[in-house]
Amino acid sequence: MWKWGKRLSILASVLLMAIIVSACNKDDASGKVKIEFFQNKPEAKGSFDKLISRFNQEHPGIEVTQVNPPEAETVLLTRVVKNDVPDIVGLGATDTYSILAQSGIFTELANTDLPHTVDPIYLKMLKDVTGADPVYGIPYAANANGVMYNKTLFKEMGLQVPKTWDELILTVQKIKAAGKIPFYFTYKDDWQTNLPFNALGPNLVGIDFFLQRRANQVTFQDKYRKVAEKQLELLKYGHGDNFGKNYADGNRAFANGQGFMYIQGSWAISEIRKANPKVELGFFPLPTGNDEQAVKLVSGIDTLLAVSESTPHKKEAEEFIAFLLKPENSKQYITEQTLFSAVKGVTQDDPSVAELLPYFKSGRVIDFADHYIPKAVQLNSIVQAFLQNGDIDAYLAKLDSEWNKVANRR
Amino acid sequence: MNKRLTAFYWMTMPAVLLFFIFLTLPALQGFYYSLTNWNGFGHQYHFVGFKNYVNLFQDDNVGNAYWFTFKFAIVVTIAINVLSLLIALGLNAKIRFRNFFRGIYFLPNILSVLIVGYIFNYLFSNVFTIWGQNLGITFLSTNILGSEQLAWVGVVIVAAWQGIAFNTILYLAGLQTIPTSLYEASDLDGAGKWREFWSITFPLIAPFFTINMVLAMKNSLMVFDQIVALTNGGPGRATQSISHLIYTGGFRGGEFAYQSANSVIYFIVIAMISILQLRFLQRREMDN
């Protein structure tokens, strides 16, 4: 017979057990220094787990644990509110990073050995994003934003990789004329709509635009018409349901040979290979203009590593970062994640991104546009709405008015 | 008598305390922050008075969100109540497998909104479109969630599909309070089914109608999970509800104080609507 008393006593004992177990966890008397490594890429969890377990073995006095919650940036912000900043934070060089760096929650790392191991171009990128000189984060891995293409399909139709905007348009027209899908667009997810924006903006207008925009010296209405026109033109060469498919749908469809090209970031490569391991991929920067030499590859810092200002274990945290930055560890990470290393001398050998390497070597890279746009502007939804209604004037006016509104509220 | 009163105090005081700590206090805090320019995590903020409120009334994104939410709430409330009343009438009749059907219709209420949302999301993009293409119906062959004009219909369908379950149960409970003798009498008087419904059934379940209208309205004014799972506010901001705007702007956009002001307004609006609805509908109950 189940009686209330019995139920209650069971409940109470369960609660008691839970308390005891959690208390045990806290008072682990191993004497190790515990460090929490918080990072925002769910794709990279497995890779970091491997590296961490090796680090913990090599450093018996330190125990690093990984935290990788969903909606990591939001979780991180709420933890900052509670003054519970993780010891080490790994995140992209986005507006969130820039806000956090400006709020002074990260340690200045300029005087350590860490910045010397990474490519200066990425350190400069971080400076540009935050608009401040101190080094609050160490770039770890970079990504690329461009056009992925299906090598098999290109070969079947005898197509060449387009180097200029006109060649690109000719190519897609040819594909379309053959009754095939030139671009597989996945614009149901609004963040997908800003990938062409991110490639076109910095190439056609430049990154300085955003620094001037912050100072209110230029407007989107002055400078971004070309960007809008070209993005709208690309939309003509999609499939029938551009706004009905999301990122996951797109990875599956592209992996299975629907669509010749896929405007995407290098982060999608591992997802696409999961759907079809045999797919032959190539990758080239989106040709934004007709001067072949002027086209730059859009590449941003996918993960940077920062140390909390308030942690009592700064030394150990730096040790862990130094470990991750070792060439062999960085190599392992970028191989598993198909990313590019920020560490000097570490190269990506994956054949799918071979065409991008010259750009990295010669420094012909430029940062994502949206890293410079305050999150509250909600660029993604503005671009998505624009592509739906195609109204360029309203779109540019909206970008300016949202930017001003957000600036005014700060 | 006194002893009983103390017992009642013992029952209510902890509840009042908990209510105060977990609801009233945060609400007051939210109001306090709405007068600042705090971004939600920085160490510093300043008082800006009612600047946030002034900005709020000039922000067309806020206006859009209110317009969408009200349109959505009214359509969903009507759809849910009409359909669930019909279903309840059917389930109350002496049909075969009655209990089986009752169980089936209650199922959507048990499932998590997010899971249902993601399932429908998949259906809308990868199943219905293929049906549409095969049947040659252009309307169905693209994903309606991807269209600025139609996406809200998709959200309405899912919200109604799930909301109907709970309201049906309430209507069923109401229908069972009506004594059968009334129907027997009306039968003798020669009343038709239609007349019977309007003169007996509907007036007698009026209290249930009231509570269902208020609940459905309140739930759909606070719509959030469905939006996250189906459209994430898109395309553009076409399906951004007020609570979704508060969440994205406040937590992701780093405009905590600004969206706090928005939620203060939102609270007042919902409270006003619920009070008005209750008053209006309850007066109607008494008239009958």
Side-chain angles (χ1 to χ4, degrees), chain A residues 141-283:
Chain A
N143 52 32
N145 173 12
V147 185
M148 225 178 266
Y149 69 101
N150 188 318
K151 279 186 177 165
T152 325
L153 294 180
F154 262 58
K155 222 176 275 168
E156 277 172 17
M157 267 189 79
L159 298 170
Q160 296 290 318
V161 169
K163 299 273 187 217
T164 63
W165 174 261
D166 289 346
E167 282 178 31
L168 179 73
I169 296 299
L170 273 176
T171 311
V172 291
Q173 279 170 348
K174 231 186 257 172
I175 300 169
K176 201 178 177 187
K180 306 275 173 59
I181 302 167
F183 289 115
Y184 202 94
F185 287 126
T186 49
Y187 287 172
K188 181 163 185 299
D189 283 336
D190 58 6
W191 65 277
Q192 290 280 304
T193 60
N194 85 18
L195 295 174
F197 178 92
N198 274 328
L200 289 161
N203 266 307
L204 296 177
V205 188
I207 286 293
D208 285 348
F209 169 82
F210 293 103
L211 308 178
Q212 290 165 2
R213 187 69 190 78
R214 280 177 196 167
N216 237 339
Q217 291 160 345
V218 286
T219 61
F220 283 99
Q221 291 174 81
D222 293 340
K223 301 271 185 176
Y224 261 68
R225 181 162 294 271
K226 259 255 131 62
V227 175
E229 283 167 0
K230 286 194 168 168
Q231 184 165 12
L232 208 54
E233 169 136 30
L234 290 176
L235 191 64
K236 289 186 205 152
Y237 304 101
H239 51 88
D241 196 9
N242 296 326
F243 294 94
K245 304 290 182 194
N246 64 23
Y247 174 61
D249 296 330
N251 290 342
R252 248 194 325 270
F254 185 72
N256 293 317
Q258 295 182 44
F260 278 56
M261 287 179 265
Y262 193 30
I263 299 181
Q264 196 54 267
S266 52
W267 54 78
I269 294 176
S270 55
E271 294 295 309
I272 292 170
R273 285 196 179 137
K274 262 182 224 162
N276 179 7
K278 275 181 264 169
V279 67
E280 273 199 69
L281 299 174
F283 209 129

Side-chain angles (χ1 to χ4, degrees), chain B residues 52-224:
Chain B
N52 284 329
Y53 290 88
V54 175
N55 281 335
L56 212 55
F57 283 98
Q58 291 162 352
D59 191 346
D60 53 345
N61 292 327
V62 176
N64 270 344
Y66 272 89
W67 166 236
F68 165 76
T69 311
F70 281 111
K71 182 173 72 172
F72 172 84
I74 291 169
V75 174
V76 169
T77 308
I78 293 173
I80 285 183
N81 278 286
V82 169
L83 291 173
S84 59
L85 186 54
L86 284 176
I87 293 172
L89 286 172
L91 291 178
N92 199 41
K94 289 193 179 64
I95 53 169
R96 270 165 173 251
F97 308 117
R98 199 166 65 169
N99 288 332
F100 170 75
F101 282 122
R102 284 183 182 177
I104 287 285
Y105 282 110
F106 194 61
L107 207 62
N109 192 52
I110 302 168
L111 303 171
S112 138
V113 185
L114 271 177
I115 293 173
V116 170
Y118 283 117
I119 293 171
F120 267 93
N121 194 350
Y122 185 81
L123 293 177
F124 276 123
S125 69
N126 294 318
V127 177
F128 296 157
T129 50
I130 291 172
W131 291 357
Q133 281 157 15
N134 291 343
L135 295 170
I137 309 169
T138 41
F139 166 72
L140 265 181
S141 57
T142 57
N143 184 351
I144 61 168
L145 294 178
S147 148
E148 246 182 337
Q149 284 79 38
L150 292 174
W152 70 280
V153 177
V155 187
V156 165
I157 291 173
V158 177
W161 182 82
Q162 192 161 40
I164 284 170
F166 186 66
N167 288 30
T168 304
I169 291 294
L170 286 186
Y171 276 127
L172 258 179
L175 289 171
Q176 279 161 6
T177 61
I178 304 174
T180 42
S181 57
L182 283 177
Y183 290 115
E184 284 157 12
S186 75
D187 242 8
L188 288 180
D189 291 343
K193 279 285 167 206
W194 192 240
R195 186 61 205 266
E196 204 177 84
F197 175 78
W198 280 117
S199 304
I200 300 175
T201 313
F202 195 64
L204 284 174
I205 59 163
F208 294 88
F209 180 70
T210 306
I211 199 70
N212 273 345
M213 287 295 274
V214 175
L215 282 181
M217 188 77 182
K218 194 214 80 173
N219 280 338
S220 36
L221 280 177
M222 298 183 24
V223 60
F224 179 78

Side-chain angles (χ1 to χ4, degrees), chain A residues 71 74 77-78 80-81 83 95-96 99-100 103-105 188 190 240-241 243-246 249 252 375-378 381-382 384-385 388-389 398 402 405-406 408-410, chain B residues 37-43 51 55 58-61 121-122 125-126 129 141-143 145-148 230-232 234-237 240 247-249 251-253 255 258:
Chain A
E71 287 272 347
T74 311
L77 291 179
T78 52
V80 174
V81 175
N83 262 329
D95 182 57
T96 307
I99 292 172
L100 290 174
S103 319
I105 69 147
K188 181 163 185 299
D190 58 6
D241 196 9
F243 294 94
K245 304 290 182 194
N246 64 23
D249 296 330
R252 248 194 325 270
K375 258 208 162 152
V377 170
Q378 305 211 0
S381 66
I382 299 176
Q384 193 187 30
Q388 285 249 328
N389 57 43
K398 179 101 183 159
E402 288 295 306
K405 261 195 279 179
V406 170
N408 184 33
R409 280 185 220 137
R410 282 213 168 150
Chain B
N37 66 352
W38 195 40
N39 62 7
F41 43 82
H43 294 305
K51 187 179 158 203
N55 281 335
Q58 291 162 352
D59 191 346
D60 53 345
N61 292 327
N121 194 350
Y122 185 81
S125 69
N126 294 318
T129 50
S141 57
T142 57
N143 184 351
L145 294 178
S147 148
E148 246 182 337
L230 288 169
T231 61
N232 213 358
R237 290 188 188 244
Q240 186 160 50
Y247 169 73
T248 47
F251 290 102
R252 293 216 203 132
E255 297 198 309
Y258 180 65

Side-chain angles (χ1 to χ4, degrees), chain A residues 292-308:
Chain A
E292 197 188 307
Q293 292 307 313
V295 173
K296 286 184 178 167
L297 173 68
V298 172
S299 163
I301 297 169
D302 201 60
T303 298
L304 60 85
L305 303 163
V307 177
S308 156

